[in-house]
């Protein structure tokens, strides 16, 4: 079975093989709901995740303009569990100095109610400031005790290598790279990023591991998503991916009735990635947690790989 804890890169920080992404906690979808309803639902998601042994919680200053960090900070005050908190710095083009990173970090720490954060990540590799310059700023924050580990997000293999080398000059390991990765988006494998991260000892964190709920199996050609999702995940697309959804269901039945979502998340864990699905309520969090405590066979992983490969042809 998958390990109950794994190491975050080469940092010595232990994390669960599955985390919780909190982007939805600051999502605009919630703006029409009373704050009390939102708080009740996501507090439930947080509590269920804790009970399941999930200790990695990922957020960002960009999620709801700090709203996600505020919710997480509120719940952290109510627990005694040893959790690992990750947040992100957005290098907007007008943020041009190392001081901008420090200022943003201090604001994130204030919202989270922390004196330091476990993992601080560059959200995107935006110009004009160079990757080495931002890694220098990260190293300063490590030296000042404001962050424990440095990560990046949405970095290509070349950009990951540059960040790794820049941090190495300060004797700091690059802990992670957070990228979009799922059975329906295997670009990290095809670009060589997965292999590079394994070679460098960098943890690959997978966001959107369930593709906005598409891999949960709740949508079909007869029950299509609404709103903006309906444009991308239309009837033609849902028809094309039905072989994957069918295989997820079949494999799940072999493992005692695991859901498509649980199988899709376990597939990522078997690939060596740390998926961070979102959860807006306790029910979704419980299903996410069902990906832990068991493991797909190599043959099952290969079967899902093969069916996924057919979609890219």
């Amino acid at each position: 079975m998958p390990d109950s804890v794994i190491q975050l890169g080469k940092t010595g920080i232990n994390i669960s093989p599955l985390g919780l992404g909190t982007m939805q906690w600051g999502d605009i979808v919630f703006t029409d709901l009373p704050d009390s309803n939102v708080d009740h639902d996501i507090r439930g998601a947080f509590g269920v995740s804790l009970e399941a042994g999930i200790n990695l919680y990922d957020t960002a200053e960009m999620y709801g303009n700090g709203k996600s960090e505020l919710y997480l900070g509120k719940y952290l005050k109510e627990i005694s569990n040893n959790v690992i908190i990750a947040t992100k710095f957005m290098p907007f083009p007008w943020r041009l100095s190392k001081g901008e990173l420090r200022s943003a970090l201090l604001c994130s720490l204030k919202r989270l109610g922390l004196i330091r954060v476990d993992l601080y990540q560059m959200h995107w590799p935006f110009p004009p400031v160079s990757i080495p310059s931002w890694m220098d700023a990260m190293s300063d924050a490590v030296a000042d005790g404001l962050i424990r580990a440095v990560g990046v997000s949405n970095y290509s293999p070349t950009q990951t290598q540059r960040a790794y080398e820049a941090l190495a000059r300060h004797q700091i390991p690059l802990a992670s790279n957070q990228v979009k990765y799922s059975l329906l988006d295997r670009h990290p494998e095809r670009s060589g990023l997965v292999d590079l991260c394994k070679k460098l000892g960098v943890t690959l964190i997978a966001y959107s591991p369930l593709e906005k709920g598409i891999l949960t199996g709740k949508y079909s050609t007869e029950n299509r998503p609404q709103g903006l999702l309906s444009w991308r995940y239309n009837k033609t697309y849902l028809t094309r991916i039905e072989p994957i959804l069918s295989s997820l269901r079949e494999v799940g039945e072999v493992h005692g009735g695991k859901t498509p979502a649980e199988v899709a998340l376990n597939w990522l864990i078997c690939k060596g990635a740390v998926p961070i699905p979102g959860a807006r309520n306790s029910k979704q969090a419980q299903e996410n947690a069902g990906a832990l405590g068991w493991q797909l066979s190599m043959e099952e992983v290969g079967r899902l790989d093969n069916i996924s490969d057919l979609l890219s042809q």
Side-chain angles (χ1 to χ4, degrees):
M1 290 188 180
D3 294 335
S4 58
V5 294
I6 59 176
Q7 186 175 186
L8 176 65
K10 296 180 179 178
T11 64
I13 297 172
N14 288 327
I15 60 172
S16 49
L18 177 77
L20 179 68
T22 67
M23 182 177 71
Q24 295 168 327
W25 294 9
D27 200 304
I28 195 170
V29 170
F30 285 133
T31 55
D32 293 332
L33 295 175
D35 286 346
S36 58
N37 289 27
V38 175
D39 181 69
H40 176 270
D41 286 348
I42 62 178
R43 185 190 297 270
F46 181 70
V48 166
S49 299
L50 280 177
E51 290 173 10
I54 293 170
N55 78 337
L56 174 64
Y57 297 88
D58 180 82
T59 185
E61 61 173 343
M62 283 291 295
Y63 299 164
N65 195 28
K67 193 172 182 180
S68 173
E69 289 179 328
L70 286 169
Y71 275 124
L72 187 53
K74 178 180 179 180
Y75 305 145
L76 291 176
K77 292 186 177 75
E78 302 168 0
I79 65 169
S80 58
N81 307 56
N82 181 26
V83 296
I84 304 301
I85 303 300
T87 192
K88 306 180 194 74
F89 168 77
M90 178 61 80
F92 294 114
W94 56 86
R95 286 177 162 174
L96 300 175
S97 70
K98 292 197 296 184
E100 297 277 10
L101 184 143
R102 185 184 180 89
S103 295
L105 172 57
L106 291 174
C107 288
S108 287
L109 289 173
K110 183 176 181 180
R111 287 189 290 268
L112 289 164
L114 301 173
I115 59 172
R116 69 171 179 171
V117 71
D118 299 295
L119 176 64
Y120 201 45
Q121 305 156 96
M122 295 297 301
H123 209 145
W124 287 89
F126 290 158
V129 179
S130 70
I131 289 173
S133 293
W134 283 133
M135 294 304 106
D136 287 346
M138 286 284 200
S139 68
D140 289 345
V142 171
D144 291 341
L146 298 175
I147 60 180
R148 294 178 67 192
V150 178
V152 295
S153 183
N154 300 299
Y155 274 41
S156 70
T158 299
Q159 292 163 338
T160 302
Q161 184 75 48
R162 291 180 65 197
Y164 176 90
E165 292 172 356
L167 286 171
R169 290 195 286 270
H170 300 279
Q171 289 77 52
I172 296 172
L174 176 63
S176 60
N177 187 2
Q178 183 178 144
V179 296
K180 188 173 182 294
Y181 186 19
S182 75
L183 263 170
L184 295 177
D185 187 349
R186 293 171 63 195
H187 180 71
E189 292 179 34
R190 298 179 178 121
S191 70
L193 182 63
V194 170
D195 288 340
L196 176 65
C197 286
K198 289 178 180 177
K199 174 185 174 183
L200 299 179
V202 174
T203 295
L204 195 70
I205 300 175
Y207 72 80
S208 290
L210 298 176
E211 290 287 338
K212 306 295 184 183
I214 298 300
L215 286 172
T216 66
K218 68 180 179 181
Y219 297 118
S220 67
T221 54
E222 291 74 36
N223 178 36
R224 298 193 293 275
Q226 301 299 308
L228 293 175
L229 288 181
S230 64
W231 178 79
R232 177 179 178 186
Y233 303 112
N234 53 35
K235 186 175 182 178
T236 300
Y237 183 86
L238 290 169
T239 300
R240 190 163 67 92
I241 68 167
E242 179 54 36
I244 281 186
L245 296 177
S246 294
S247 294
L248 289 172
R249 295 186 189 99
E250 292 166 6
V251 170
E253 285 302 315
V254 173
H255 290 274
K258 292 296 182 181
T259 67
E262 291 166 344
V263 176
L265 292 173
N266 194 274
W267 175 85
L268 277 166
I269 294 171
C270 290
K271 289 283 187 173
V274 177
I276 51 168
R280 290 176 175 164
N281 52 54
S282 57
K283 181 180 179 181
Q284 292 178 356
Q286 190 66 56
E287 184 171 19
N288 291 344
L292 296 172
W294 61 284
Q295 187 171 7
L296 294 169
S297 68
M298 290 180 61
E299 291 76 17
E300 289 166 334
V301 171
R303 173 186 173 184
L304 293 171
D305 283 355
N306 292 336
I307 295 171
S308 173
D309 285 338
L310 292 175
L311 294 181
S312 62
Q313 295 179 0

